[in-house]
Amino acid sequence: MSALALNAEALYSELLRGVRAMCTPETRLVGITSGGAWLAERLQKDLGLTGKHGSISSAMHRDDFAQRGLSAGGQTSLPFEIQGADVLILDDVLYTGRTIRAVINELFDYGRPANVRLAVLVDRGGRQLPIQADYAAARVALPNTQSLALARLANGQFSFEVQEENS
């Protein structure tokens, strides 16, 4: 099987273009910890949006919490009012849809947004729930024995890591 090569920086440029078209001055960016939060941070700056982006954790609403436990990743930080907000959730890789379901539950713990949309760097298919991105910079097919994760280099640039999953 050939190795998957994805240029994360080129895909980020596509994501920037797509998110720019989706945003209004009232749009609030919320990135899923950790890859999505990195994307939200960089997009907030590159789009010249005022205020701060939010970050959100799926840990407390996961349906596999008993198996995974509490992640050492970041916690939810939403430095703006969620009630009535136009929220754009950002993630690095959309796979089963379970993380997005958990994040939406977490988001609603903070209020009822007027609108929630989803933009992702990569949609790898394999959905287990009826969730889809409003914008995906790329769509790729990976076997379920592999995982795809965004990495952030010291200089702030992005790269992808493809790993074999242990069964």
Side-chain angles (χ1 to χ4, degrees), residues 65-84:
F65 183 81
Q67 290 91 8
R68 293 173 57 128
L70 188 57
S71 169
Q75 296 181 346
T76 297
S77 170
L78 300 169
F80 41 77
E81 181 67 35
I82 293 299
Q83 188 70 31

Side-chain angles (χ1 to χ4, degrees), residues 58-155:
S58 65
M60 297 305 290
H61 292 281
R62 298 238 7 147
D63 58 7
D64 58 356
F65 183 81
Q67 290 91 8
R68 293 173 57 128
L70 188 57
S71 169
Q75 296 181 346
T76 297
S77 170
L78 300 169
F80 41 77
E81 181 67 35
I82 293 299
Q83 188 70 31
D86 174 29
V87 175
L88 179 57
I89 296 174
L90 295 150
D91 202 8
D92 53 354
V93 180
L94 176 58
Y95 183 28
T96 63
R98 292 184 182 282
T99 297
I100 304 303
R101 184 212 49 85
V103 160
I104 290 172
N105 285 348
E106 175 79 0
L107 186 66
F108 274 75
D109 284 350
Y110 289 83
R112 184 176 182 195
N115 190 28
V116 178
R117 291 170 292 153
L118 173 64
V120 299
L121 207 52
V122 174
D123 180 344
R124 64 168 284 181
R127 219 74 75 239
Q128 296 173 354
L129 298 173
I131 291 174
Q132 70 179 25
D134 295 284
Y135 183 84
R139 297 183 195 288
V140 300
L142 282 177
N144 62 3
T145 58
Q146 292 182 332
S147 68
L148 180 64
L150 188 66
R152 183 168 64 170
L153 306 175
N155 65 2

